[in-house]
């Protein structure tokens, strides 16, 4: 299995609290992505990173921020969690631009109550 | 707006049956179409299709792309209970500065009954 770890794997938090999800890789891959998966929507891109300190927004970035201070870590932060952010979050990594070589993490199930 | 639509959304068949899953798309800057299998956790890669009419095959699974009509099908023959999963179709297209994103369909939940 590719060296990609998401933490925590499960989290329940209250509305209005900040939450940070971590994606850690040991593959030294350049590209990292955060997706969320909701019933009826498939997976949707939140933010992505081309490299250290180089990030950009995806299609559902409102309410989320990211940081990548090291190649191996890509953090997703919900500044003030809302119930609409209850979802399963997947991180993906890729050395090349092609997703045929990308690997997905095991996912983080976040519940905002 | 980029869009990927899968059908059916849910399918229940008996072991040994053959199934066909459909994926249609409308995206700008199309690069490729990918199929994933998702059991309980992370999606796992099945196929990547970039050219029309060329079938990709892996065991009992096969897939083909039609870039003129903007769709793809995934076939599974002689289905087994282990094929039960959500099958995701995604289209890869360019975003800023050379990165690529996947636009996913809703997925097809396939259940194989013994």
């Amino acid at each position: 299995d590719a060296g990609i770890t998401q933490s925590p794997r499960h989290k329940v938090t209250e509305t209005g609290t900040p939450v940070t999800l971590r994606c850690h890789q040991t593959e030294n891959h350049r590209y990292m992505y955060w997706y969320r998966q909701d019933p009826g929507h498939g997976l949707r891109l939140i933010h992505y990173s081309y490299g250290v300190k180089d990030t950009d927004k995806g299609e559902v970035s409102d309410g989320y921020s990211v940081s990548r201070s090291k190649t191996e870590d890509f953090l997703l932060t919900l500044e003030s969690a809302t119930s609409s952010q209850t979802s399963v979050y997947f991180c993906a990594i890729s050395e090349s631009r092609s997703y045929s070589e990308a690997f997905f993490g095991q996912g983080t199930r976040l519940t905002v109550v | 707006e980029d869009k990927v639509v899968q059908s059916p959304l849910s399918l229940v068949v008996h072991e040994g049956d053959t199934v066909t899953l459909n994926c249609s798309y409308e995206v700008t800057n199309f690069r490729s179409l990918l199929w994933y299998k998702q059991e309980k956790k992370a999606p796992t890669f099945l196929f990547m299709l970039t050219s029309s009419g060329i079938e990709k095959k892996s065991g009992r699974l096969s897939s083909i792309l039609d870039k003129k009509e903007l769709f793809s099908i995934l076939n599974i023959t002689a289905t087994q209970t282990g094929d039960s999963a959500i099958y995701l179709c995604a289209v890869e297209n360019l975003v800023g500065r050379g990165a690529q994103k996947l636009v996913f369909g809703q997925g097809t939940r396939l259940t194989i009954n013994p």
Side-chain angles (χ1 to χ4, degrees):
Chain A
D1 287 348
I4 175 171
T5 306
Q6 290 185 232
S7 58
R9 294 293 312 281
H10 302 272
K11 185 171 182 66
V12 180
T13 191
E14 292 186 351
T15 299
T17 61
V19 177
T20 295
L21 308 183
R22 181 185 186 222
C23 178
H24 178 77
Q25 61 146 327
T26 57
E27 305 293 325
N28 202 35
H29 284 351
R30 177 181 175 185
Y31 297 94
M32 299 185 76
Y33 306 83
W34 276 108
Y35 284 85
R36 60 177 287 176
Q37 184 174 29
D38 304 292
H41 289 279
L43 282 79
R44 292 178 291 173
L45 182 65
I46 307 172
H47 281 278
Y48 55 99
S49 171
Y50 307 86
V52 173
K53 297 184 180 178
D54 200 357
T55 65
D56 212 340
K57 295 179 180 180
E59 59 186 304
V60 290
S61 59
D62 287 349
Y64 302 95
S65 62
V66 289
S67 67
R68 192 169 177 198
S69 59
K70 299 183 288 185
T71 298
E72 57 265 35
D73 288 324
F74 193 31
L75 304 180
L76 177 71
T77 297
L78 291 66
E79 300 292 345
S80 177
T82 67
S83 58
S84 65
Q85 293 175 312
T86 293
S87 188
V88 180
Y89 291 85
F90 286 99
C91 175
I93 62 172
S94 178
E95 175 54 28
S96 75
R97 296 173 186 173
S98 173
Y99 273 86
S100 65
E101 300 170 7
F103 297 97
F104 283 84
Q106 295 301 298
T108 294
R109 182 174 294 277
L110 176 67
T111 303
V112 183
V113 298
Chain B
E1 181 183 337
D2 296 336
K3 189 165 59 172
V4 177
V5 177
Q6 293 186 244
S7 65
L9 296 181
S10 181
L11 184 60
V12 181
V13 300
H14 290 291
E15 201 167 20
D17 288 351
T18 293
V19 298
T20 297
L21 310 183
N22 303 294
C23 176
S24 63
Y25 63 91
E26 289 180 40
V27 298
T28 54
N29 299 315
F30 174 90
R31 300 277 293 187
S32 63
L33 186 143
L34 293 89
W35 285 96
Y36 290 88
K37 179 181 182 182
Q38 185 177 27
E39 293 180 82
K40 289 183 180 176
K41 300 177 180 176
T44 54
F45 173 77
L46 293 175
F47 297 113
M48 181 184 204
L49 302 150
T50 55
S51 301
S52 278
I54 298 175
E55 184 182 55
K56 290 283 183 87
K57 196 169 173 64
S58 176
R60 296 176 293 102
L61 278 67
S62 64
S63 184
I64 197 160
L65 174 67
D66 185 328
K67 290 171 71 174
K68 182 179 177 184
E69 300 298 329
L70 308 182
F71 77 90
S72 174
I73 60 172
L74 174 69
N75 281 321
I76 308 175
T77 60
T79 52
Q80 302 171 356
T81 55
D83 295 328
S84 294
I86 296 173
Y87 289 84
L88 296 166
C89 171
V91 173
E92 191 177 41
N93 65 347
L94 285 173
V95 290
R97 296 161 57 198
Q100 300 189 129
K101 74 170 186 179
L102 290 177
V103 180
F104 281 86
Q106 320 95 303
T108 293
R109 182 179 294 274
L110 177 64
T111 302
I112 310 297
N113 289 326

